[in-house]
Amino acid sequence: MKASLPRTGRGPAWALLAAALAPLSAGCTSTPPGDDARPEASCAYVVEYDSRTYLGREETDVTVGKSLGAATRPACDDTPGDGDDGEAPALMTAFALPGVDPAVAIAVAEDTDAYRLVVADTVKELPPELRKLTDRS
């Protein structure tokens, strides 16, 4: 007759293992739970201007108005510990968009003749005046 191991001793061991591994798996996500509107952590195009944070869009051919002053792309290191320092902060110029409140969206100069649209991270839906600039129909 074979002796069997008591089953009551396994439950706590598995519970301890699961508790130890749970924080490790949670650390692998790049977007906080319930924050689906934010870009992934892989150096998203983020600009800071006038104490606001703006998120980059695909549009790079927007018409710009007057210069608003300095804007900054913060430093980004999406793979810390890999041996490189990531991207350094970038200073750029912010521009107004015709008919659009700068608290909603601005353009930033990526190059001498290239401007990228960035929208305030508080904006959930593009207002009509901004949709007119982005819809090229």
Side-chain angles (χ1 to χ4, degrees):
M1 183 167 183
K2 261 188 176 174
S4 64
L5 294 173
R7 294 189 178 260
T8 57
R10 289 186 185 175
W14 285 108
L16 285 173
L17 179 60
L21 293 177
L24 295 175
S25 65
C28 293
T29 61
S30 59
T31 304
D35 197 5
D36 297 330
R38 295 238 176 228
E40 294 288 328
S42 61
C43 290
Y45 199 93
V46 176
V47 173
E48 295 171 351
Y49 167 74
D50 196 27
S51 301
R52 287 188 209 79
T53 300
Y54 295 82
L55 305 176
R57 293 187 37 110
E58 293 179 17
E59 291 86 358
T60 56
D61 62 344
V62 293
T63 303
V64 298
K66 70 176 184 165
S67 172
L68 298 173
T72 305
R73 248 192 103 188
C76 178
D77 187 4
D78 64 347
T79 51
D82 70 346
D84 83 28
D85 295 331
E87 297 176 13
L91 188 61
M92 49 187 51
T93 303
F95 291 87
L97 297 166
V100 178
D101 183 350
V104 172
I106 58 173
V108 290
E110 289 193 309
D111 206 346
T112 50
D113 290 328
Y115 303 97
R116 182 155 184 174
L117 175 65
V118 291
V119 177
D121 68 347
T122 56
V123 173
K124 302 297 180 215
E125 186 176 327
L126 295 182
E129 63 272 14
L130 188 53
R131 276 199 308 262
K132 280 195 277 184
L133 295 175
T134 60
D135 291 339
R136 305 282 183 192
S137 35

Short mmCIF file of all heavy atoms in Angstrom, two decimals, residues 11 17 30 39 70 74 81 83 100 105 107 110 118 125 134:
data_model
loop_
_atom_site.label_atom_id
_atom_site.label_comp_id
_atom_site.label_asym_id
_atom_site.label_seq_id
_atom_site.Cartn_x
_atom_site.Cartn_y
_atom_site.Cartn_z
N GLY A 11 -2.08 23.77 -0.81
CA GLY A 11 -2.80 25.02 -1.01
C GLY A 11 -2.01 26.24 -0.61
O GLY A 11 -1.83 27.16 -1.40
N LEU A 17 3.19 31.09 -3.98
CA LEU A 17 3.80 31.25 -5.30
C LEU A 17 3.00 32.24 -6.15
O LEU A 17 3.57 33.13 -6.79
CB LEU A 17 3.89 29.90 -6.00
CG LEU A 17 4.49 29.92 -7.41
CD1 LEU A 17 5.92 30.46 -7.36
CD2 LEU A 17 4.46 28.54 -8.02
N SER A 30 2.19 48.43 -19.79
CA SER A 30 2.70 49.78 -19.99
C SER A 30 1.62 50.84 -19.83
O SER A 30 1.93 52.01 -19.77
CB SER A 30 3.34 49.89 -21.37
OG SER A 30 2.40 49.57 -22.36
N PRO A 39 -1.31 56.87 -24.86
CA PRO A 39 -0.45 56.06 -25.71
C PRO A 39 0.39 55.10 -24.89
O PRO A 39 0.57 55.29 -23.69
CB PRO A 39 0.46 57.09 -26.39
CG PRO A 39 -0.09 58.41 -26.08
CD PRO A 39 -1.02 58.27 -24.92
N ALA A 70 8.44 78.75 -26.76
CA ALA A 70 9.12 77.46 -26.61
C ALA A 70 8.21 76.37 -26.08
O ALA A 70 7.36 76.59 -25.22
CB ALA A 70 10.32 77.62 -25.68
N PRO A 74 9.73 66.07 -23.62
CA PRO A 74 10.50 65.54 -22.50
C PRO A 74 11.40 64.38 -22.91
O PRO A 74 11.16 63.72 -23.91
CB PRO A 74 9.45 65.06 -21.50
CG PRO A 74 8.14 65.54 -22.00
CD PRO A 74 8.30 65.90 -23.44
N GLY A 81 17.97 50.61 -18.61
CA GLY A 81 18.89 49.52 -18.31
C GLY A 81 19.44 48.82 -19.53
O GLY A 81 20.14 47.83 -19.42
N GLY A 83 21.54 50.14 -21.68
CA GLY A 83 22.87 50.64 -22.03
C GLY A 83 22.86 51.96 -22.78
O GLY A 83 23.89 52.61 -22.89
N VAL A 100 -8.19 77.95 -33.58
CA VAL A 100 -8.17 76.93 -32.54
C VAL A 100 -7.52 77.49 -31.28
O VAL A 100 -6.44 78.07 -31.34
CB VAL A 100 -7.41 75.66 -33.01
CG1 VAL A 100 -7.36 74.61 -31.91
CG2 VAL A 100 -8.02 75.09 -34.28
N ALA A 105 -5.24 72.72 -28.91
CA ALA A 105 -4.24 72.14 -29.79
C ALA A 105 -3.29 73.22 -30.29
O ALA A 105 -3.66 74.39 -30.38
CB ALA A 105 -4.90 71.45 -30.98
N ALA A 107 0.60 73.46 -32.91
CA ALA A 107 1.51 72.74 -33.80
C ALA A 107 2.92 73.02 -33.29
O ALA A 107 3.18 74.07 -32.68
CB ALA A 107 1.37 73.23 -35.23
N GLU A 110 8.91 70.56 -36.16
CA GLU A 110 9.83 69.43 -36.09
C GLU A 110 11.07 69.72 -36.90
O GLU A 110 12.13 69.21 -36.62
CB GLU A 110 9.16 68.17 -36.64
CG GLU A 110 8.09 67.63 -35.75
CD GLU A 110 7.69 66.23 -36.17
OE1 GLU A 110 7.39 66.03 -37.36
OE2 GLU A 110 7.68 65.36 -35.29
N VAL A 118 -0.34 68.69 -32.28
CA VAL A 118 -0.40 68.08 -30.96
C VAL A 118 -1.66 68.60 -30.26
O VAL A 118 -1.98 69.78 -30.36
CB VAL A 118 0.88 68.34 -30.12
CG1 VAL A 118 2.06 67.59 -30.69
CG2 VAL A 118 1.20 69.80 -30.00
N GLU A 125 -12.61 64.67 -27.48
CA GLU A 125 -13.12 64.66 -28.85
C GLU A 125 -12.70 65.95 -29.53
O GLU A 125 -12.79 67.03 -28.93
CB GLU A 125 -14.64 64.55 -28.82
CG GLU A 125 -15.26 64.38 -30.19
CD GLU A 125 -16.77 64.16 -30.12
OE1 GLU A 125 -17.23 63.55 -29.14
OE2 GLU A 125 -17.45 64.64 -31.03
N THR A 134 -7.98 69.05 -39.76
CA THR A 134 -7.44 67.70 -39.91
C THR A 134 -8.11 66.89 -40.99
O THR A 134 -7.54 65.94 -41.50
CB THR A 134 -7.53 66.93 -38.57
OG1 THR A 134 -8.89 66.83 -38.17
CG2 THR A 134 -6.72 67.59 -37.49
#
